[in-house]
Amino acid sequence: MESRLSPQITRRQALAGALFALVPAAAGCSDDSGGSGGRITLQFQSLAWQEESVAANKQLVKEWNAAHPDVQVRYIQGSWDSVHDQLLTSFEGGEAPDIIHDASDDLADFAYGGYLADLGPLLPARLKSDIPARSWETTTFGKGVYGVPFLQEPRVIIANAKWLRDSGVRIPTPGKPWSWEEFRTVTEQLSGDGKFGVAWPLKEPVSVTLNLGLSAGGQLFHRGGDGKVTIRFTDGDQVVPGTIQAQINTDHSSPTTTLGSGGSDTLPGFFGGKYAMVPLGFSYRQQIVQQAPKGFEWTVLPAPAGSEGLAQGVSPQTLSVSEDSAHKKEAMEFIDFMLQPQNMVRLAKGDWMLPTGTEALKDPALHAAKDGWATGTALAGQLSPAPAQSVRGYPEWKDKIATPAFQEYYSGAIDTAELEKRLVEDGNRVLARYQR
């Protein structure tokens, strides 16, 4: 997930160490349960931002309110760009919303800090069984479950269909994907005359590298029998960054100009015929549908496969309940309503992502060839928790160690040995401080 699924953590680094030790004051939640006749009002903070997604969320709230006059839900619009800091402030001030939309990789601090309710005892059997265990792992910290994972976004390759067809290269499918080695060969074949086989937008290089690295057996973070996590850089961890670095600096099949770019920044060059392919999150298809020039042919391809097949890490979007909420049971009932299979499909289509629910994934609309839905849905069974999902100290390691190290590595400023040294030696010193 790109920046919109990786909330800003500027304050998190300064507060993370103390946060784990905090026990929130027993302040009342910001909802209002004093309405006439004892009516309960729950506050639901949504981070939906695309027009279709906002409309779907608001419509579901409207439908709930019409059917539940005694438990009303008030929709509050939040923002991915500021959600972590905003939630931290609201938790500390006793003003947190009852129902919280976030991403699973943002929950650890709040879960360990005691700000989120353990949903385990509240989860309906239907919802618990409908979402696979691997998805629940993304919101399980210690022995508690602190969010319901409901939308997920694989990384795929958006390709210029005509360019690939005219080149004669083998077109991969989820059943017969490219290997990382074949992918490198193909991008080199597609390059030349000022054009590039692939453009890697690497403004946020860590999640891209780690999540795709699962396909090659890369884990990087290893939890011992004592529960403590250490970093090891194995052969599997080297496959994805090594491929990308070679495409940029050896084969020159990927430009250096996109190293500091976000995904959206690469679309004009993609539409203009400068790049044959761009690895992006699945939801970028909406922007492509909206922005592509008339007659532009594009297709969705699976990311390359390694020793572990098409495996890749994801950090699903989640719905949580504030520990301070006076109406946890009613909040969970609303979440269960939102995530009924037919409603989960509506949310997935609105956000151009995949639902986590197995029943929702069966919907025919998510298996259509149009706009690449079928390719994405075929990858759903290969999605696993992002490698650093529950690692304490990961935000600091990511910002202070891994991001600058990967940026220098991809630019050619440092070699693989120096990359490993920074990720492992410097990284383990950071993690050790959080695990004393």
Side-chain angles (χ1 to χ4, degrees), residues 214-235:
L214 287 184
S215 67
Q219 288 286 342
L220 205 62
F221 297 93
H222 300 267
R223 192 176 297 274
D226 59 358
K228 292 187 177 181
V229 177
T230 55
I231 300 171
R232 296 199 305 271
F233 191 79
T234 67
D235 290 344

Side-chain angles (χ1 to χ4, degrees), residues 11-152:
R11 292 181 60 202
R12 185 194 292 178
Q13 293 170 3
L15 295 171
L19 184 57
F20 296 129
L22 286 175
V23 177
C29 203
S30 56
D31 64 358
D32 173 24
S33 58
S36 61
R39 186 178 71 179
I40 293 170
T41 300
L42 302 172
Q43 293 191 14
F44 165 43
Q45 179 170 293
S46 169
L47 302 181
W49 65 278
Q50 301 194 78
E51 184 177 346
E52 295 170 67
S53 181
V54 172
N57 277 267
K58 287 185 174 180
Q59 180 60 31
L60 286 171
V61 169
K62 183 178 179 181
E63 292 172 13
W64 167 274
N65 286 340
H68 299 82
D70 294 332
V71 182
Q72 295 287 283
V73 172
R74 182 188 307 154
Y75 181 95
I76 300 171
Q77 186 63 60
S79 168
W80 286 110
D81 292 335
S82 58
V83 65
H84 187 90
D85 290 353
Q86 177 263 318
L87 283 175
L88 184 58
T89 300
S90 67
F91 283 135
E92 292 175 337
E95 297 293 332
D98 299 272
I99 302 148
I100 297 163
H101 181 190
D102 203 348
S104 60
D105 62 353
D106 193 43
L107 299 185
D109 285 358
F110 300 140
Y112 288 119
Y115 293 121
L116 299 177
D118 177 5
L119 303 181
L122 300 172
L123 285 172
R126 179 208 66 81
L127 188 59
K128 187 175 181 179
S129 63
D130 185 50
I131 296 174
R134 63 179 180 275
S135 294
W136 286 116
E137 289 177 20
T138 67
T139 58
T140 300
F141 303 95
K143 296 182 179 180
V145 177
Y146 295 94
V148 181
F150 70 105
L151 292 180
Q152 54 191 348

